[in-house]
Amino acid sequence: MSYRQGRFWQPDVTVATVVFRDGRLLVVEEEVGGRRVLNQPAGHLEPDEAIVDAAVRETLEETGWTVRLTAFVGAYQWQAPETGRSYLRLAFTAEPVAHHPERPLDAGIIQAHWLTPSELSAREAEHRSPLVWRVVQDALDGRRLPLESVAAL
């Protein structure tokens, strides 16, 4: 049923970070639907939460890393073919500030990895969604806007 038939489109709003360190990317290995997948540190925006705060929070919760956001990569729309659920992902680049290895990771997160872009690309079959590589590729290609462009969101 379309919104014209009485339903409005309501995507899940998520945030994601592309964290760079020494030519490697911080990714999470997580279990979703009984399958191990790779993803950026990412998660849902909470009610009344600033988008930039959500990106920092989700990265810490999923990896144990405190990060400093450096740029806004973009907004991405995707619909999961299995469920029909729609996602609006707001993606950022970040640099690591401090690691907290004693911190427990979110439920479903198996562990965090530092992979080179080529290692991540080679494991495309394990990506949680097509957005994983698309966001990384855009960040690597220099698609970045100043954080001030989204600070008010």
Side-chain angles (χ1 to χ4, degrees):
M1 173 186 299
S2 76
Y3 74 92
R4 294 179 195 279
Q5 296 168 315
R7 252 182 78 203
F8 289 94
W9 179 67
Q10 295 179 340
D12 285 273
V13 178
T14 62
V15 293
T17 58
V18 179
V19 184
F20 293 102
R21 182 183 78 175
D22 301 326
R24 294 183 176 272
L25 304 163
L26 182 61
V27 297
V28 295
E29 180 180 357
E30 59 186 334
E31 188 165 323
V32 178
R35 182 175 160 241
R36 284 187 174 206
V37 296
L38 297 174
N39 198 7
Q40 283 101 15
H44 293 265
L45 180 67
E46 294 181 358
D48 301 320
E49 185 176 32
I51 293 167
V52 293
D53 294 341
V56 171
R57 175 186 53 77
E58 284 291 349
T59 304
L60 178 62
E61 290 176 354
E62 293 196 350
T63 69
W65 281 91
T66 300
V67 297
R68 183 181 71 79
L69 300 182
T70 55
F72 178 64
V73 179
Y76 300 82
Q77 187 177 332
W78 181 68
Q79 186 174 49
E82 312 82 35
T83 63
R85 210 166 162 178
S86 293
Y87 295 87
L88 177 63
R89 173 176 278 195
L90 304 167
F92 299 86
T93 56
E95 59 185 23
V97 174
H99 188 224
H100 311 279
E102 73 289 348
R103 184 181 172 85
L105 304 180
D106 271 358
I109 303 294
I110 298 164
Q111 65 182 344
H113 301 280
W114 288 98
L115 301 178
T116 65
S118 59
E119 289 169 336
L120 181 61
S121 176
R123 296 175 68 178
E124 184 178 5
E126 298 171 65
H127 294 179
R128 183 167 182 174
S129 79
L131 294 183
V132 173
W133 184 247
R134 185 168 167 211
V135 169
V136 167
Q137 189 64 61
D138 284 350
L140 291 170
D141 288 347
R143 181 180 172 173
R144 301 179 191 181
L145 297 170
L147 285 176
E148 297 77 35
S149 63
V150 295
L153 299 178

